[in-house]
Amino acid sequence: MSDGRNRQLLVVLLLALLLGFPLISLRLLGTHTTSFSPVNRTPTLDKCRSLKLPAGPPPTFHERSESDRFVPGTPPTLIRNATIWTGAYNRTEVIYGDILLDKGMIINIGRIQPILLQTYGAELVVFDARRRWVTPGIVDLHSHMGNSPSPDLSGSADVNSFKGIAQPWLRSVDGINTHDDSYQLSVAGGLTTALILPGSANAIATTSTDSNLIRILGGQAYIIKLRKTAERSTSSMILEPPYQMNSSSSDLSSPPRWRHIKRTTWLTFLLVGENPSRVYNGTRMDTMWAFRQAYNEATKLKQKQDEFCVKLEAGQSEILDGQSEFPDDLRWEALVDVLRGRVKVNTHCYEAVDLDAFVRLSNEFKFPVAAFHHAHETYLVPDVLKRAYGGPPVSAIFSGFSRYKRESYHFSEFAAKILTEHGLTVVMKSDHSAINSRYLLHEAQQAYYHGLPENVALASVTSNPADAMGMGHRIGYVKQGMCHFAEYTSNYPDLAIWDSHPLALGATPVQVYIDGIAQLENPAVAEKPDELQRAPKIPNYDKEARKAVEYDGLPPLSPTESSSELVIFTNVKQVFIKSSMRVVRDFFAHDEDALGELIASKGKPICWGSHGTCSFIVGSRTSKPTIVDLQGGSVSPALSYYGSPLGLQHITLEPSTTDGEIFDPLSSDVPSILGNGALISAADGLQYGSRDALMAYRSGVTTAITAPEHGQCFFGLGTYFSTGASHKLELGALPQEITALHTAVTYNAASSVSIQIAVLRRLFLSASEDTSPLGTAIKKVATGQMPLVVEVGNADAIATLIMLKREIEAVYGNTVRLTIAGAAESHLLAKELKDADVGVIVGPVHPFPHSWDIRRILPGPPLSKDTAISKLLDHNITVGISPVGLSRFVPPGNWNAQNLRLYAAWTALDSDGRINKEQALSMASVNLEKLLGASAQAENTDFVATVGGDLLDPTSQVVAILSQRSERVDIF
C-alpha cells in the first residue's frame, strides 16, 4: 500500500472522529486491529471495573426505608409478648418483647415505645404471641422444590439434564415451576426460603435394579421465597434477582449480587462421587478430570478478560487478536465468576476421598467452596475441610438419612456435634423431597437430641444457611439493623412463631411471616404442655461421639447379654404392659422420692411396683443380680417396625448387599422352575445384623415385619423377625416365619389399576380350585386365617378394595382381614373403612403428595386440625403407624426405623390431646402386629428400659432390652 493511500485513510479517520462517527475497523499493513468509539468504550470500561467489586449488598443496603420485596397494601404488624431467638451474639441472644413489621422490614424489636405505635392508628395488626418462641424463618440450603414439583408428573420433571457431567451453564431458575404443592406445605413448617439446586432429585425407579439411580447433575442454583406473589411468576419468587438475569441492563457501579445470572454472580452446584459415575458410567477419576477441564477453560477465559481489561483501562485504542468485544462465553461464565470469588460453590460430596479431591481442586484453581452437601464423612476429616482455599466450607448434612448407598454408609448421627467441636459450621438441609422440607426443623431437633448445642441447632436451619448463601443481610436473623442500637431498619421480615420451643419434638408454627406478610390463614393450633416451652435436656454423648470417630462411623452395635440370673431395675417411674392387645400403664410413681422397681429373670419381667415390693424375690436367689438405675425412667413394651425392606438390605443401592427384588407377575416372566402360582417368602431372604436393624434394636424397636423387596406389582409372604439377632437360628430370631399375604395396587405401573384389581378378583374367586402356593395363601386370606396387606394410598382404589372385600366375603362366608398400608387418602373413607372392618397402617405418619394418586392428604396442624391418624381413630379404626412412605417415589427408609418412637410421640402431640401415650405406643406395637398378622406373639413381648424419661421422650436413652423370647436381658 502506497504512502499516499495511507495518508488518505488517515484523513478519513480524522474526519470520522471530528464528525462523531464510529471508528472504522481496517486491516492496515497486514495487521488486524480493533478500535473503540467513545460510545462503546465507556460501558465496556465500566464492565471491567465491575469485575473488581466483591459480591454482596451495597453499603447503603440497611439505610433503606422500604424493602424491595414490600407488597403495597400489606398492613404494619406488631407481634407482642414474644420470646425471640435472634441469631445474634454467637446465636445465643434471646429477647423478650415485641417485633414491629412494616414496609417489608423489621422496624423495631424489644420494648417498643407507645408513641411509635400510635402513628399507625387502626391500620396496625396486633398478634399476641403469648410468650411463644419466635425465630427467623427456616432456611433450606438444599432443595429441589419447583424443579421437581409435587405431585410428581412427567410434564414437570425439570430437575435433571443428562447432557454431560460438567454443565455449569444450566440454571435451576429455568425449571422452577410455580405449581408445586410443596410451597404451602413447607411454609406450614416454618420454611420461608430455599436454595433450589439443579439435579440431586431422587428419581428412583423400582422396575429393575439397574434403574435404581439417583440421577444428579450440576448447574446454577437460585434462592426463592416460598410465598405466593401477585405476579405468579418464578422471577418474582427469586430473592435478590440478578441485575442481568434476563439480559437487561445492569448497575455496574454496585457490587454484584451473590449467585445470580450473567456477569453478576452465581451459586453453582457441583458433584463428586457415586452419582455422576452412575449416570455417565464413569469413575471418580473421570469426574475430577471433567472438573479440571472445565476450570481450565474458565481460567483461559478469565485470563482473556483480564488482559482485555488491562489494555482497555491503560487507554490503548487498539486490541490485538481481533477482539472487538469483551471476551465472554455463556458456557463458562459461571465458572469464571467462581474463579473471581463471586460465586457460592456448593458441592455434592460424601466421602473423604471426594472431599479431599475437591479441596485439592479448590487450591489448584484458587476458588472458595461455600458448602459440602450431604457430606456424610466431613466429621471424619475436619482438617481436610480446613485446608480448602479461602477457608473451611459449611457441612450441609442430614440428621440420620444414611446407608442408602455405599458412600453414605459411614455416616454418624453425632456428625453435627463432632463438626461443631472442631470449629466447623453445620447446616441441616432437606434435599427436598428426599426429606420433606416441611419438617426441616425436625432435622435440627434430631441433631440436638444427639448432642449438638441448642444455639447451633437453631442456627443450623436459620442463620448458618443464610450466611452460606450470602444472604445473611436479608434472612436468617431477627434484627432491627446491623446492631440493635442502629438508627436504621433492616430486611429480616421472615419469621416463624412456634407453639412450643423450636427444639421440642413436634414444634409447629402458629404463624409464619414472609416479607412481613402473614402466610397462615386461620391456623389450627394445638395446645402444648408447659414443659415443651423449654429446650429438652440432652444426655452427654461425648463417649459415643469419640467412638464414632474411632471406628470410622461404624462403632460396634451388637448387644451385650447380662450374665446374671436376675436384673433389677431401680428408680422406675412408670411401667407399661400389654393387656388385652393394647398397651396400658400398670405402674406410676407420683412422687419422685418414691420411685419403684422391676425385676426380670431370663428376659421376663416377674415383679414390679413401689420400692421394696419385690425384695422377697431377691432374697430367695443366691446369685448376685445386675442392678440398673433408671433414674426416673420407665419400662415399656418394645416397638415393631414395618414399611421398608429392613432385614433384607444392608445398603439399598448396592445389589450385593440386598436380597433383591422379586418378580412382578404382571409385567415380567416368572422363572419357569417356580411354576405357576409361585409365592416368595421374605423369611427366605432375611439378612441379620445390618446396621439399620441393630440401630433400631438399640432404639427400642426389637422386631420388624417385612414383605419381600418388590417393585410395582407383587405377591409375597411377610415375616416377623428380631432386629437384634445375629442369625436366623438364634433363639427368638424368627418369632413367626409367615405373617400375612402382601400385595400392592400401584398407579402408573406397567399394568393398569383395573387390571391389578381384576387379577385380585380372579385369584380370590377361583382360589378353591388353585393348589399352588399363591392359591393356598389366597384361600387362607379368604377364610380369615391370614391377613391381606395391600400397599395403596389412593382413596378410589381403597374404595374398590372395600367392595372386593365384600364380594369375597359373600362367596366364602368369612370375614376377610384386610389391612390398608400407606393409606395417604384413607381419611376420606374413615366411615367406610370402619363399616367394612378394615385396619389401616399410616405411613409415613406425615403424608406427602409425592404422586397424583396420593395428592389429597390431610396435612394436620397448622393447616388442618385433624390428621389422617386422628380422624381414623375418631372412627374407632385399628391404626398402626410407620415412619416411612410406602410409595415408589420414596427411597427405602431402613435408616428411619430407629426413629419410630419419635414418630409415635409426634403423633400424640399432633392430636391436641386426643391421643395419649398408651395409644401412641399401641400404634407402634400391638396394633401394627395385629394388622400384619403377628399378634400371636403378644405373650412373648419384649420390653425396653429407658433412662431420662419414657420411650416416647426423645431425649431418653435406651439402656436395656428385656426379651422373653430370647430369654435374655441385653444391656447397653
Side-chain angles (χ1 to χ4, degrees):
M1 187 178 294
S2 67
D3 290 341
R5 177 61 173 163
N6 282 338
R7 284 194 294 272
Q8 290 175 0
L9 290 174
L10 182 58
V11 170
V12 171
L13 290 172
L14 291 173
L15 286 172
L17 287 171
L18 291 172
L19 295 173
F21 293 123
L23 292 176
I24 301 170
S25 177
L26 300 170
R27 183 176 296 274
L28 298 177
L29 302 177
T31 302
H32 184 196
T33 64
T34 301
S35 300
F36 284 82
S37 71
V39 175
N40 292 331
R41 188 178 188 278
T42 299
T44 308
L45 187 58
D46 289 342
K47 183 182 299 183
C48 286
R49 290 170 177 164
S50 73
L51 297 181
K52 301 175 183 178
L53 296 174
T60 58
F61 178 81
H62 294 284
E63 298 175 11
R64 300 178 305 166
S65 60
E66 180 177 299
S67 170
D68 56 325
R69 295 191 59 83
F70 173 63
V71 177
T74 302
T77 300
L78 177 67
I79 301 172
R80 303 195 65 179
N81 303 317
T83 304
I84 309 163
W85 183 86
T86 69
Y89 297 106
N90 195 31
R91 319 302 199 234
T92 61
E93 182 184 55
V94 176
I95 296 174
Y96 301 95
D98 307 335
I99 305 173
L100 179 61
L101 305 175
D102 190 24
K103 303 296 183 184
M105 298 188 293
I106 292 178
I107 303 299
N108 212 329
I109 302 175
R111 294 183 179 179
I112 301 175
Q113 297 299 319
I115 191 170
L116 174 60
L117 302 178
Q118 289 172 8
T119 61
Y120 291 102
E123 185 185 8
L124 184 68
V125 174
V126 179
F127 183 99
D128 188 353
R130 295 168 50 193
R131 303 284 287 181
R132 292 187 177 103
W133 285 86
V134 177
T135 68
I138 303 301
V139 180
D140 193 353
L141 192 62
H142 186 139
S143 176
H144 303 290
M145 201 180 303
N147 277 163
S148 182
S150 299
D152 180 86
L153 296 167
S154 59
S156 58
D158 291 311
V159 72
N160 291 305
S161 168
F162 300 96
K163 305 299 184 182
I165 291 180
Q167 300 186 84
W169 49 85
L170 294 180
R171 310 187 308 176
S172 69
V173 68
D174 297 323
I176 297 176
N177 201 304
T178 57
H179 303 295
D180 187 341
D181 290 355
S182 302
Y183 296 140
Q184 182 189 26
L185 292 170
S186 294
V187 168
L191 187 69
T192 58
T193 309
L195 173 62
I196 309 303
L197 297 159
S200 197
N202 285 317
I204 297 182
T206 57
T207 54
S208 70
T209 302
D210 289 341
S211 61
N212 283 344
L213 303 177
I214 300 180
R215 295 171 286 189
I216 302 185
L217 296 163
Q220 297 167 37
Y222 288 76
I223 301 170
I224 65 170
K225 291 288 193 82
L226 269 59
R227 70 171 175 85
K228 183 179 291 186
T229 67
E231 186 176 299
R232 293 185 173 89
S233 70
T234 300
S235 295
S236 63
M237 300 172 70
I238 304 298
L239 179 60
E240 288 203 351
Y243 297 121
Q244 292 181 325
M245 189 170 74
N246 296 308
S247 297
S248 60
S249 62
S250 61
D251 180 5
L252 297 176
S253 64
S254 297
R257 290 172 168 175
W258 281 118
R259 63 156 301 279
H260 288 90
I261 192 64
K262 195 174 183 180
R263 291 174 178 78
T264 52
T265 53
W266 299 260
L267 201 150
T268 302
F269 189 66
L270 302 173
L271 292 99
V272 183
E274 285 187 26
N275 288 354
S277 299
R278 287 178 182 272
V279 174
Y280 295 106
N281 198 28
T283 67
R284 282 175 165 81
M285 293 183 289
D286 295 310
T287 299
M288 289 309 300
W289 173 240
F291 283 150
R292 295 183 71 213
Q293 280 183 309
Y295 275 102
N296 188 55
E297 290 296 323
T299 298
K300 290 189 288 186
L301 179 57
K302 176 180 177 292
Q303 289 172 347
K304 288 182 181 180
Q305 292 176 354
D306 292 344
E307 291 170 1
F308 177 94
C309 289
V310 166
K311 293 178 179 179
L312 187 64
E313 290 172 345
Q316 297 182 19
S317 60
E318 295 182 345
I319 306 297
L320 299 180
D321 299 325
Q323 186 69 63
S324 61
E325 295 183 356
F326 180 81
D328 214 342
D329 189 328
L330 279 173
R331 296 173 303 167
W332 307 115
E333 59 176 351
L335 293 190
V336 171
D337 266 10
V338 168
L339 299 176
R340 295 191 185 281
R342 299 158 62 145
V343 179
K344 294 291 185 179
V345 177
N346 288 256
T347 305
H348 168 114
C349 230
Y350 283 78
E351 293 187 273
V353 58
D354 302 319
L355 296 162
D356 189 43
F358 206 83
V359 166
R360 289 199 305 272
L361 187 73
S362 78
N363 283 293
E364 180 180 0
F365 291 95
K366 294 183 171 41
F367 64 88
V369 181
F372 283 125
H373 288 242
H374 302 313
H376 280 55
E377 293 188 16
T378 50
Y379 76 98
L380 292 174
V381 289
D383 291 336
V384 170
L385 271 63
K386 294 175 183 179
R387 289 203 309 268
Y389 184 85
V394 164
S395 292
I397 62 176
F398 295 121
S399 65
F401 190 11
S402 57
R403 294 178 287 280
Y404 46 92
K405 55 181 177 174
R406 193 197 67 84
E407 61 185 1
S408 67
Y409 193 68
H410 288 261
F411 172 82
S412 171
E413 63 271 32
F414 302 107
K417 168 183 168 65
I418 295 166
L419 286 164
T420 300
E421 289 172 351
H422 281 278
L424 298 168
T425 302
V426 172
V427 165
M428 309 309 297
K429 55 93 170 69
S430 75
D431 194 8
H432 181 92
S433 59
I435 299 290
N436 182 356
S437 62
R438 178 180 178 183
Y439 303 109
L440 178 54
L441 180 64
H442 184 54
E443 292 292 294
Q445 291 169 358
Q446 290 188 82
Y448 173 66
Y449 302 157
H450 288 93
L452 187 65
E454 177 183 350
N455 62 320
V456 182
L458 289 173
S460 72
V461 289
T462 54
S463 312
N464 288 355
D467 289 340
M469 292 177 181
M471 292 291 144
H473 59 288
R474 280 190 177 266
I475 57 175
Y477 297 85
V478 183
K479 289 185 181 180
Q480 175 183 342
M482 296 302 290
C483 69
H484 293 298
F485 306 102
E487 296 297 328
Y488 43 79
T489 56
S490 188
N491 243 57
Y492 298 96
D494 296 354
L495 305 170
I497 306 174
W498 304 92
D499 64 3
S500 49
H501 190 285
L503 296 179
L505 182 68
T508 302
V510 300
Q511 189 52 268
V512 177
Y513 293 88
I514 301 179
D515 298 327
I517 304 171
Q519 299 297 302
L520 302 178
E521 185 176 351
N522 300 318
V525 179
E527 293 299 323
K528 299 290 181 69
D530 290 341
E531 60 265 25
L532 294 184
Q533 302 304 324
R534 300 180 294 275
K537 293 183 179 179
I538 304 301
N540 186 302
Y541 285 110
D542 289 347
K543 179 180 178 182
E544 290 81 355
R546 285 195 298 270
K547 277 193 172 183
V549 175
E550 178 185 353
Y551 289 93
D552 278 351
L554 304 176
L557 296 176
S558 297
T560 301
E561 181 181 358
S562 170
S563 58
S564 302
E565 179 187 1
L566 293 181
V567 179
I568 302 176
F569 296 92
T570 62
N571 294 315
V572 179
K573 185 166 187 177
Q574 50 191 339
V575 175
F576 296 88
I577 63 170
K578 287 182 180 178
S579 176
S580 301
M581 292 309 298
R582 62 192 180 96
V583 175
V584 297
R585 188 169 66 184
D586 193 65
F587 170 78
F588 180 75
H590 294 277
D591 190 344
E592 295 290 338
D593 295 328
L595 298 174
E597 62 189 7
L598 181 145
I599 296 181
S601 175
K602 294 185 177 180
K604 181 178 182 178
I606 57 175
C607 182
W608 59 88
S610 57
H611 181 68
T613 300
C614 304
S615 57
F616 70 96
I617 296 177
V618 179
S620 64
R621 307 298 172 98
T622 56
S623 59
K624 184 177 179 180
T626 297
I627 308 295
V628 180
D629 184 358
L630 295 190
Q631 306 169 40
S634 73
V635 177
S636 60
L639 307 182
S640 290
Y641 174 80
Y642 166 76
S644 66
L646 185 69
L648 299 176
Q649 299 175 336
H650 285 262
I651 306 173
T652 303
L653 294 177
E654 288 291 340
S656 65
T657 74
T658 74
D659 179 47
E661 288 185 4
I662 65 173
F663 57 84
D664 180 343
L666 300 186
S667 64
S668 61
D669 294 331
V670 179
S672 59
I673 195 171
L674 292 177
N676 293 328
L679 189 60
I680 307 302
S681 174
D684 294 334
L686 284 174
Q687 301 182 32
Y688 287 83
S690 74
R691 295 196 70 80
D692 288 318
L694 292 174
M695 291 286 286
Y697 186 76
R698 298 173 74 94
S699 301
V701 183
T702 65
T703 55
I705 299 100
T706 190
E709 188 179 346
H710 59 272
Q712 297 172 342
C713 304
F714 79 107
F715 291 95
L717 296 172
T719 192
Y720 183 49
F721 69 97
S722 168
T723 57
S726 57
H727 57 79
K728 191 181 296 184
L729 299 181
E730 188 176 290
L731 181 65
L734 192 62
Q736 193 170 331
E737 185 175 355
I738 296 175
T739 54
L741 177 63
H742 291 253
T743 188
V745 175
T746 307
Y747 283 76
N748 198 28
S751 301
S752 69
V753 170
S754 54
I755 289 177
Q756 296 171 53
I757 296 295
V759 169
L760 277 173
R761 181 179 288 110
R762 167 78 183 270
L763 287 170
F764 275 101
L765 297 185
S766 63
S768 59
E769 304 169 1
D770 190 349
T771 59
S772 69
L774 178 57
T776 301
I778 290 289
K779 281 197 285 283
K780 288 184 177 181
V781 171
T783 55
Q785 300 175 61
M786 177 188 289
L788 174 66
V789 181
V790 184
E791 296 176 14
V792 59
N794 179 261
D796 298 303
I798 294 171
T800 301
L801 289 168
I802 291 174
M803 294 174 65
L804 180 61
K805 178 180 186 291
R806 293 170 180 164
E807 191 176 345
I808 297 167
E809 290 172 342
V811 172
Y812 289 90
N814 296 292
T815 299
V816 173
R817 296 159 59 190
L818 176 62
T819 295
I820 301 298
E825 296 186 353
S826 59
H827 59 95
L828 298 173
L829 296 167
K831 180 181 182 301
E832 290 77 10
L833 287 164
K834 172 59 181 174
D835 292 344
D837 193 21
V838 176
V840 176
I841 299 172
V842 178
V845 166
H846 300 115
F848 180 78
H850 282 283
S851 55
W852 185 264
D853 56 300
I854 56 172
R855 70 191 186 282
R856 296 173 292 182
I857 65 170
L858 192 58
L863 296 179
S864 66
K865 180 180 179 181
D866 289 326
T867 64
I869 293 171
S870 64
K871 191 163 186 179
L872 293 170
L873 289 176
D874 286 345
H875 285 78
N876 295 315
I877 295 170
T878 301
V879 177
I881 60 171
S882 172
V884 301
L886 303 178
S887 165
R888 62 192 180 88
F889 292 92
V890 183
N894 300 325
W895 60 275
N896 223 354
Q898 63 183 301
N899 294 322
L900 177 57
R901 66 187 187 123
L902 298 184
Y903 287 98
W906 201 342
T907 297
L909 291 169
D910 280 345
S911 72
D912 200 13
R914 288 185 285 172
I915 299 174
N916 59 32
K917 285 190 175 183
E918 290 89 336
Q919 289 173 300
L921 287 168
S922 294
M923 287 190 289
S925 57
V926 291
N927 288 12
L928 196 69
E929 294 156 3
K930 176 183 177 182
L931 293 170
L932 295 170
S935 57
Q937 303 301 320
E939 67 274 11
N940 290 328
T941 301
D942 290 340
F943 284 85
V944 182
T946 56
V947 298
D950 59 54
L951 186 57
L952 298 187
D953 186 333
T955 63
S956 68
Q957 290 180 285
V958 174
V959 295
I961 300 293
L962 295 68
S963 179
Q964 304 176 64
R965 192 169 46 247
S966 304
E967 299 182 1
R968 58 189 285 173
V969 175
D970 289 328
I971 307 293
F972 302 127

